[in-house]
Amino acid sequence: SINAEYMGEAALAKQATLRDRLLVMSEGLPRWYGRIGLFALAVHWCGLFQLVFHTFDWNVMEPVTYFLGYTLMMAGILFYTITKREYEFDSVWQVLKERRFQALARKHEFHQHEYEALQTELEWQRRLVATLHPPRHSSL
């Protein structure tokens, strides 16, 4: 039983190392999406500034900005409908990270449910061993 527990702990340690590595790797792509999104937002702002103050005037551009804002609101509703999360930066980041983790897990053949089952099994074994072999208290 002790040998089986040691083998289970070794397997769990290997799976935990792979899981931690995949979690770190899964943050890379959402970070690039964030940088690209920030760049797109800056270009968008500069474009609107140019159109409002130099090319046209506010009376022409007000409906355009209204439709841009309305489109963003519709994107938020669509995001909530699909993910059941609010359309916030942290929520979008978490969804992108989870999807990237799942893709990496499939690629590296990491199965989250097997990892969690192994954790549960080892915890059960530890409790069993602790129950069968309680620690001895020395009397002074």
Side-chain angles (χ1 to χ4, degrees):
S1 173
I2 302 295
N3 192 22
E5 182 179 343
Y6 174 74
M7 289 175 57
E9 286 181 7
L12 181 64
K14 182 179 175 184
Q15 289 289 318
T17 302
L18 177 60
R19 181 179 178 270
D20 293 343
R21 191 172 55 127
L22 292 177
L23 283 172
V24 169
M25 289 171 57
S26 69
E27 291 181 1
L29 192 61
R31 188 172 291 127
W32 274 105
Y33 284 158
R35 290 175 184 158
I36 291 169
L38 182 61
F39 177 75
L41 190 62
V43 168
H44 171 79
W45 188 86
C46 290
L48 281 179
F49 185 87
Q50 173 69 27
L51 291 173
V52 169
F53 294 108
H54 296 288
T55 306
F56 302 112
D57 66 346
W58 179 244
N59 292 328
V60 174
M61 290 305 296
E62 183 180 14
V64 173
T65 59
Y66 169 78
F67 283 114
L68 289 173
Y70 188 72
T71 302
L72 184 63
M73 183 185 73
M74 293 302 289
I77 291 171
L78 181 64
F79 180 82
Y80 178 79
T81 303
I82 293 171
T83 64
K84 302 296 185 241
R85 297 180 188 182
E86 290 187 31
Y87 186 60
E88 297 175 343
F89 179 79
D90 292 335
S91 298
V92 173
W93 174 274
Q94 194 62 33
V95 166
L96 290 172
K97 186 178 170 184
E98 288 170 4
R99 288 185 179 173
R100 181 68 177 156
F101 177 78
Q102 290 169 359
L104 287 169
R106 278 191 303 274
K107 181 179 177 182
H108 292 278
E109 297 178 359
F110 174 78
H111 305 287
Q112 182 73 22
H113 57 88
E114 290 177 7
Y115 173 75
E116 291 169 357
L118 187 57
Q119 277 184 319
T120 305
E121 177 68 24
L122 282 174
E123 185 61 33
W124 180 81
Q125 286 179 3
R126 287 184 189 118
R127 287 185 196 158
L128 183 62
V129 168
T131 311
L132 295 175
H133 302 289
R136 295 182 183 170
H137 299 296
S138 61
S139 59
L140 297 173

